[in-house]
Amino acid sequence: MSSFGGSPPPPTRAHSPARNGTTTPTPRSPAAKRYKSDGVGDGPAPPRVRTPTRSPRRSSQGSPAPGRSPSDRFIPNRTSMDFDEANHALSVVASPQRKKGDDPAANARPVEVEFRRAMRSALLPRSSGGGRRSSGGADSPRSPPHSASKIFRFGAEVQNRPDRFRSALEVIADPRQEPGNDARTAALARPVPTKPSRILDAPDIVDDYYLNLLSWSSSNVLAVALANNVYLWNAATNEVSELLQLEQGDCVTSVSWAPGGSHLCVGTDSAAVQLWDASRMALVRSMRGHTARVGSLAWNPVSRCVNSGSRDALVLQHDARARQHRTATLVGHQQEVCGLSWSADGATLASGGNENYLCLWDAARSGQAQPGECAPRAIMRQHQAAVKALSWCPMHRNLLASGGGTADRSIKFWNAHTGAMLHSVDTGSQVCALLWSRHHKEIVSSHGFSQNQLCLWRYPSMTKLCELTGHTARVLHLAQSPDGETVVSAAADETLRFWSIFGGGPTSAARRKGRMRDMRLSSVGGEMSIR
């Protein structure tokens, strides 16, 4: 076919020699294509018009390609196919400048080669056995050996990949599948009773935030101060006895058991510190030194000395065994001292005052100093209200928790060694008392207006595990049983409520079962009077 005006044919259509008028048209078989590419034929090759690369159409009359059977469609033979090699061939992007036979990975950057290797290792896991036949007929050194077995097969399970071939793209750890996650979930899901196990009547208990009227001894005896009386309740036998009764007009302002559980220290509104023998129900000694009421007491678990805090802003240290009982005077507060607590190792004393101070004192310095010459090692002024609630963590030596009053409403955690504040939580109400659990990383706090509740917190996240309600007035005092499982709360509604919120270890289950059986046999109606 000729073109108009002698111009060359359009470039979008390739022409055969028959259309140039030099030879007769013949089918374009593979043999004819090889014949033309080798330059063998009759006479010089006719001029060709360069056109864009295009795959030649297969003629229906041509001979089939070697190695394939004639068919109207392609039916794959899975036994002779290599899916990994086919996937690799499809993943290589063809480039117009790349010649036939060039290795696609020869000119690639090392970063690209490593990335492709990592992707193949992560997305196409291979077994350790067998070899791989590359396109060149030899084993490729760049790809790891793998099994030539079928991808989908029935029979034995596919072997897992060895650990030494683990890919860097794999997920190293999944928090939902960590071995310890079940234990943490079980700990968070530990059942916490929200109802009190027992309620005792405590008439005439003084409604004063600055006093400390509750203490539980190591011998399982609870001391409660009611007006000018002190009563002892034996938790094992449910017996109630009256320890003392002050003169008319005087009032008990603080109580604290000695570490041995046989002696009780009592602070009075008349500025006296009395030591009583609970077994003989007798007064051992009365110690003077303060000029105002004694609202807080704390025993040193090592030296067996007792410290007293008073409205006169002083903290005195007494040794009842010595002739001169007053061994040190700690000066640092400006208003009433309403909170005292010794660390478990007896090295640091924490004191809280109505001027919003939290002071730390060293036992070594207070023991060697003369009266009136001991100053606090550190003073923390971050609280915005009176600091009464103090509690040392039994699991961390220098971890101290403190709670502020109505204007502060926060629980703060301190490093007692450096004096740094670690954390602060706004509770939304007045913090009256704090207690750490001895078995779990938990802390319980008691509050005032408006809920009058107890809150159980998970440390260090300070997640609120539960709220314990039931009191109708602010919960002023907390005390913990010797086994660390039960907490008793005393509130201005003149009731004592026992809460089994601190679970014990595995060995405490039998003990708890026997104690509950004794309580059911001895109590009538679950409520009784402390008097």
Side-chain angles (χ1 to χ4, degrees):
M1 178 178 179
S2 62
S3 60
F4 295 97
S7 61
T12 58
R13 184 173 181 179
H15 293 268
S16 63
R19 293 172 182 171
N20 289 333
T22 56
T23 59
T24 58
T26 57
R28 304 182 65 183
S29 64
K33 289 189 288 183
R34 291 196 300 273
Y35 174 82
K36 291 177 63 59
S37 63
D38 294 339
V40 181
D42 298 334
R48 298 175 56 90
V49 178
R50 188 175 298 276
T51 59
T53 305
R54 189 174 183 181
S55 300
R57 297 180 180 177
R58 185 178 303 275
S59 175
S60 59
Q61 299 177 358
S63 60
R68 289 190 178 179
S69 59
S71 176
D72 59 344
R73 58 179 178 155
F74 174 70
I75 301 178
N77 188 359
R78 295 186 180 273
T79 58
S80 61
M81 295 182 66
D82 191 341
F83 283 90
D84 291 345
E85 186 174 358
N87 181 77
H88 175 70
L90 291 174
S91 63
V92 176
V93 180
S95 176
Q97 293 79 12
R98 185 177 299 157
K99 297 181 181 180
K100 183 178 180 180
D102 287 350
D103 189 359
N107 300 325
R109 293 182 300 173
V111 177
E112 297 179 356
V113 175
E114 181 62 22
F115 176 74
R116 292 172 183 172
R117 186 201 62 78
M119 290 295 292
R120 285 196 302 268
S121 178
L123 302 178
L124 299 175
R126 297 177 173 86
S127 58
S128 58
R132 176 176 179 174
R133 185 179 63 193
S134 64
S135 58
D139 292 339
S140 175
R142 291 183 299 273
S143 59
H146 72 287
S147 176
S149 59
K150 303 175 183 179
I151 295 180
F152 302 103
R153 65 175 181 177
F154 296 96
E157 296 181 357
V158 181
Q159 297 181 356
N160 295 329
R161 182 175 46 185
D163 292 340
R164 63 191 184 93
F165 292 122
R166 292 186 62 184
S167 171
L169 299 179
E170 289 182 302
V171 178
I172 297 177
D174 188 351
R176 296 170 299 178
Q177 299 177 357
E178 290 182 1
N181 189 58
D182 295 337
R184 289 194 298 270
T185 304
L188 289 174
R190 177 175 59 87
V192 178
T194 57
K195 300 296 182 181
S197 59
R198 169 170 293 191
I199 301 176
L200 299 182
D201 186 21
D204 299 331
I205 190 170
V206 180
D207 182 9
D208 194 330
Y209 175 79
Y210 300 98
L211 306 184
N212 295 270
L213 307 178
L214 194 66
S215 183
W216 204 332
S217 72
S218 58
S219 57
N220 207 13
V221 177
L222 182 66
V224 185
L226 304 178
N228 61 340
N229 299 275
V230 175
Y231 292 91
L232 305 181
W233 177 74
N234 193 317
T237 61
N238 293 320
E239 295 180 358
V240 179
S241 57
E242 183 183 11
L243 176 65
L244 63 95
Q245 182 177 6
L246 299 178
E247 297 178 357
Q248 193 70 24
D250 202 353
C251 179
V252 178
T253 54
S254 58
V255 292
S256 179
W257 282 102
S262 59
H263 291 79
L264 180 69
C265 193
V266 179
T268 66
D269 189 59
S270 59
V273 177
Q274 300 180 358
L275 184 64
W276 288 77
D277 188 345
S279 59
R280 297 187 295 113
M281 298 289 181
L283 176 64
V284 177
R285 189 171 185 176
S286 179
M287 297 171 284
R288 292 281 180 175
H290 287 290
T291 59
R293 68 177 186 180
V294 180
S296 56
L297 296 168
W299 286 86
N300 189 311
V302 177
S303 65
R304 301 300 177 95
C305 294
V306 61
N307 289 78
S308 58
S310 172
R311 183 178 277 180
D312 59 10
L314 297 179
V315 178
L316 302 183
Q317 183 167 300
H318 311 272
D319 188 354
R321 300 163 295 183
R323 181 180 181 86
Q324 296 294 332
H325 63 86
R326 182 176 174 182
T327 60
T329 301
L330 313 183
V331 180
H333 288 281
Q334 300 177 359
Q335 296 185 26
E336 181 174 6
V337 180
C338 51
L340 285 176
S341 181
W342 275 100
S343 60
D345 57 359
T348 307
L349 173 67
S351 63
N354 191 36
E355 75 288 335
N356 313 339
Y357 286 179
L358 172 61
C359 299
L360 298 179
W361 317 78
D362 286 335
R365 296 176 59 184
S366 62
Q368 297 176 0
Q370 297 296 324
E373 296 183 358
C374 187
R377 171 169 58 86
I379 300 178
M380 282 77 82
R381 300 176 173 87
Q382 284 84 343
H383 281 289
Q384 304 299 320
V387 182
K388 175 196 174 185
L390 298 172
S391 183
W392 292 88
C393 179
M395 301 179 185
H396 300 279
R397 178 180 179 183
N398 293 312
L399 181 57
L400 173 66
S402 62
T406 305
D408 184 80
R409 306 176 304 175
S410 68
I411 301 176
K412 300 184 186 301
F413 298 89
W414 310 87
N415 185 336
H417 180 69
T418 62
M421 186 176 68
L422 305 177
H423 192 38
S424 179
V425 178
D426 187 2
T427 63
S429 59
Q430 179 187 49
V431 182
C432 301
L434 292 171
L435 276 181
W436 284 94
S437 171
R438 302 175 188 172
H439 309 291
H440 307 281
K441 289 185 178 181
E442 299 171 356
I443 187 171
V444 62
S445 58
S446 65
H447 300 273
F449 181 83
S450 62
Q451 298 294 328
N452 305 316
Q453 83 279 24
L454 281 74
C455 296
L456 183 62
W457 309 83
R458 165 74 66 182
Y459 184 84
S461 63
M462 289 308 290
T463 304
K464 187 183 295 186
L465 300 182
C466 66
E467 289 189 358
L468 309 174
T469 58
H471 285 291
T472 58
R474 57 181 179 175
V475 186
L476 297 170
H477 316 289
L478 291 178
Q480 192 172 10
S481 62
D483 58 8
E485 299 180 18
T486 305
V487 172
V488 58
S489 59
D493 58 3
E494 299 185 347
T495 61
L496 303 179
R497 296 173 185 263
F498 294 79
W499 314 85
S500 301
I501 56 176
F502 289 154
T507 58
S508 63
R511 233 179 15 251
R512 182 168 57 253
K513 184 177 180 180
R515 184 171 63 253
M516 293 302 296
R517 183 182 63 251
D518 296 340
M519 292 173 63
R520 286 195 300 267
L521 293 176
S522 58
S523 62
V524 179
E527 184 172 349
M528 56 189 302
S529 176
I530 199 70
R531 287 187 172 179

